[in-house]
Amino acid sequence: MAMVLDKSHTGRVFATHLALIVFIALSLFPFLMIVSISLRAGNFAAGGIIPDHISLEHWKLALGFSYIDQFGHQVDPPFPVLHWLWNSCKVALMTAVVVLTLSTTCAYAFARLKFVGRKFGLNALFLMQMFPSVLSLIAIYAIFDQIGNYAPWLGIDSHGSLVLAYAGGVALHIWTIKGYFETIPVEIEEAALVDGASHFQTFRLVLLPMAVPILIVVFLLSFIGAIIEYPVASVLLHQEQNLTLAVGSKLYLYTQNYLWGDFAAAAILSGLPITVLFLLSQKWMVNGLTSGGVKG
Amino acid sequence: MQSKLARWAGSVLGLVLILASIWLITAVFRSGHTWVALTFTVILAGSIWLLASPRLYPWRYLYPGVFAALVFVVFPALYTVSIGFTNYSSTNLLTFDRATQYFLDQTYSAGGDALDMAIYPAGNDARVFLTAADGHSWVSDAINLDKPTGKPVELKVAPATAAPAGEKIAIRGVIALQPALKELRISVPDHVSKYQISGFSKVSPSAPLFQQNADGSLKNLQTGDVLKPNIKTGFYETTAGEKVAPGFTVKVGLANFTQLFTSTQFRGPLLKIFVWTVSFAAGTVLLTFVVGFLLAVALSWESLKFRGIYRVALFLPYAVPGFISILIFRGLFNENFGEINYVLHSLFGIKPEWFSNPWLARAMLLIVNTWLGYPYIMLLVMGLIKSIPSDLYEASAIHGGGAWTNLSRITLPLIAKPIMPLLLASFAFNFNNFVLISLLTAGGPDFADSLTPAGSTDILVSYTYRIAFQDSGQNFGLAAAISTVIFVLVGALSLLNLKLTRVNAPDRK
């Protein structure tokens, strides 16, 4: 854009830079603070952003080691952070697999097969994903309480129940995958059908390999969704050993038991992998969602 | 070859699933839930039919996903609505049959000779050893007494000549086993009444406390009083009209809704919470939009260098999982130990009470939520600005238009229409932003004058959650009624959104 620039232009550019830098400093303040807090000794001390002397006690506790404090007492980790992280990953992984399987097959039917109620089904799915599961918590609790009477590994306080509860949220993913399937020309599958392949074979051997980018995106989305989910997990899980990270982290900051330093270390430790995954998946997501099924 | 194997594996998997379902159904049937078992059977038969019929081929793909969505999204929603019409709560938790059974299971010591009881360990389990005054003794099989089962346990004893091997458990150990021991109904050979624990080392003959009359009322055999079930209140009541716990769940019609909208004790907090919910959601949308929009405009300015770096730095708050950043803020804002008050105190000498002053708590929520939400709006607006043809700005420059003219006459009007549905979706999301409220303030500071737990930062969903899961009364029925009201609100919003999206559809492409 070629334009005649007046004198005030440089001034405005400078002012914008300044404003942006101040804003970024403010918005990154919490992250800098939390790093600094995790390296300070003790759980209450307030200090400058750069600690006077660095103490690794919170990091030891977060990683599950005990340490000896200045009075010679042994301090044990307050909570099993790594165990919670493992629980979160386990639940998220199972959820992602189940959600991916359910939504891929559904999306195939919606995209390729003709059946009565197809349009209605799509609209219903669209409305369904708008309703937050928080509102159904009582019913979800009651349902899993009942299921637990017959199959304890799917009842309250089990990871199986959480996976099942999350598996219900397939609506959005079905839409996403269906949209991608529709960018793939149907002629390729028709050719396979003419050559004698069954519907299932065209689906598995022709369509799926071409849709790998979107499948990865949906896998990541449901994985992250399950890791950061809080309300349903807080209702279904009770015992400390069973908690996921999202539910467990809260225990650090009770007024009576305020483990601010320990929380800081645990938050960085557990937040880092998830954040990296999130950032990576953003990139994947843009690629997967924007590139069509066929390389042109 | 491979596909043959796959088909074979598929059939085996199907067979295993069917067998597992049948096993589950028989288990349900055996536990006495005939109707549930029947429903499951119908579902199973329907599923097999759906999956096997060639005419319904598409359903082989649809079925699992649709089934999951129906069972875990639609059914809970409908179930929630139906709970809204009942008095389901911690005092009325049981079904009518279970409550009746509870009374019929009650026993009392009917008099007669007591037997001495001693408990002997048997591995991880224990044996009960009884001795009569005349020297006869009986011993039971090993039984696990660590955990009470919640219902009466039948125990048979056989005549014995000597005490079981080992040291008998001391009185302190017996006290620990009390909950499980109290459930024992011991049948002793040649004795008609069952025995039941009546002290730490005694069992006495016991008799059922209640007898069911033909009209469904229960007669207390000890006092002669009659309990009548009241299907309006969900309790058995004495002739004097006194309620006897445990209550049972009954349909109460619109009572919960009437209570919500007419009772002043509820209407007061509910109205405040509703106003705050709307202002919170609207305020968040407004603030995130203003901040996100300004940043997006700045980052779209081509004269600005380092835009890539700025964008990454500004996007970071969005990349960190919400539950972590919200809890970080909860610590930073802490009134006594938090870093924000530390900075404010050293700079201005003030220590705002973020968590105990209602207005400051609300302000804090808006600040945090703006911080969490602006990157999303920023990204959206940046995308929309890109789609505005640049010749519009060139024309404006030729006519002498400044930055403000560009902003108010070109950028804003052009993105207003496509961003409207997205802002509406953001409103709906924040209307139900349970995670933020629950992790940051948990609704507090609480109103002092409210019957149910309610606070000045509670939004409707967090209020519902507290009624259902935190209040000592655990009033599921009332909470479900509020949920139902929110369902209607969210549904209306979604429909509006659907309409706006449709209206905009021709513009987009």
Side-chain angles (χ1 to χ4, degrees), chain B residues 288-310:
Chain B
T288 48
F289 179 73
V290 169
V291 176
F293 177 76
L294 289 179
L295 289 172
V297 169
L299 289 183
S300 307
W301 193 17
E302 291 186 2
S303 310
L304 205 69
K305 281 181 186 165
F306 312 119
R307 283 183 297 164
I309 301 173
Y310 287 145

Side-chain angles (χ1 to χ4, degrees), chain A residues 1-3 5 9 12-14 16-18 20-21 23-24 26-31 33-34 37 40 43-48 102-103 105-110 113-116 123 125-128 130-132 134-147 149-151 161 164-171 174 198-201 203-205 227-231 234-235 245-247 249-250 253-255 258 260 263 266-268 270-272 274-276 278-279 282, chain B residues 2-3 7 23-24 27-28 31 33 36 40 57-66 68-77 79-80 83 88 98 291 295 298-299 301-306 309-311 313-325 327-332 334 337-340 342-343 371 374 379 390 393-394 397 403 428 432 434-435 438-439 442 461-462 464-465 468-470 475-477 479-480 482-483 486-488 490-491 494-495 497-498 501-502:
Chain A
M1 197 165 32
M3 263 201 275
L5 303 172
H9 182 78
R12 279 194 286 140
V13 171
F14 179 74
T16 314
H17 272 295
L18 198 70
L20 278 175
I21 289 170
F23 188 84
I24 288 173
L26 270 178
S27 89
L28 294 188
F29 168 76
F31 297 131
M33 237 27 241
I34 206 81
I37 290 158
R40 277 185 211 153
N43 276 314
F44 296 123
L102 294 183
S103 48
T105 50
C106 265
Y108 173 69
F110 276 118
L113 303 172
K114 288 191 178 62
F115 56 93
V116 185
N123 279 332
L125 286 178
F126 183 80
L127 281 181
M128 216 191 275
M130 296 252 186
F131 284 97
V134 188
L135 292 178
S136 309
L137 279 181
I138 302 158
I140 290 174
Y141 181 86
I143 290 171
F144 283 103
D145 197 27
Q146 284 295 318
I147 293 180
N149 288 339
Y150 310 116
S161 65
L164 275 188
Y166 294 158
V170 288
I174 294 177
S198 70
H199 270 290
F200 185 72
Q201 278 171 330
F203 167 61
R204 207 181 75 79
L205 301 172
I227 280 223
I228 63 177
E229 203 280 343
Y230 169 75
S234 80
V235 167
L245 206 54
V247 185
S249 306
K250 197 188 173 189
L253 299 183
Y254 274 125
T255 324
Y258 189 76
W260 188 210
F263 167 76
I268 300 171
S270 49
L272 215 55
I274 305 175
T275 309
V276 170
F278 199 98
L279 280 170
Q282 294 284 327
Chain B
Q2 198 196 0
S3 93
R7 190 164 292 182
W23 172 80
L24 187 72
V28 173
S31 63
H33 295 84
V36 183
F40 279 5
Y57 182 76
W59 280 93
R60 296 188 195 178
Y61 296 94
L62 286 171
Y63 183 72
V66 170
L70 284 179
V71 172
F72 295 109
V73 179
V74 178
F75 177 64
Y79 191 30
T80 306
I83 291 175
Y88 189 37
R98 289 275 292 276
V291 176
L295 289 172
L299 289 183
W301 193 17
E302 291 186 2
S303 310
L304 205 69
K305 281 181 186 165
F306 312 119
I309 301 173
Y310 287 145
R311 199 164 48 209
L314 287 169
F315 181 70
L316 218 57
Y318 197 62
V320 177
F323 73 92
I324 290 180
S325 30
L327 285 174
I328 288 178
F329 273 107
R330 176 159 151 177
L332 290 178
N334 188 294
F337 319 119
E339 274 62 20
I340 288 177
Y342 180 78
V343 171
W371 186 89
Y374 80 81
L379 285 185
S390 64
Y393 294 105
E394 278 166 31
N432 295 300
F434 172 76
V435 176
S438 167
L439 289 182
V461 276
S462 66
T464 314
Y465 180 87
F469 295 105
Q470 283 182 350
N475 199 335
F476 296 118
I482 302 179
S483 282
I486 311 178
F487 267 140
V488 174
V490 176
S494 313
L495 282 177
N497 204 2
L498 206 64
T501 322
R502 287 243 172 92

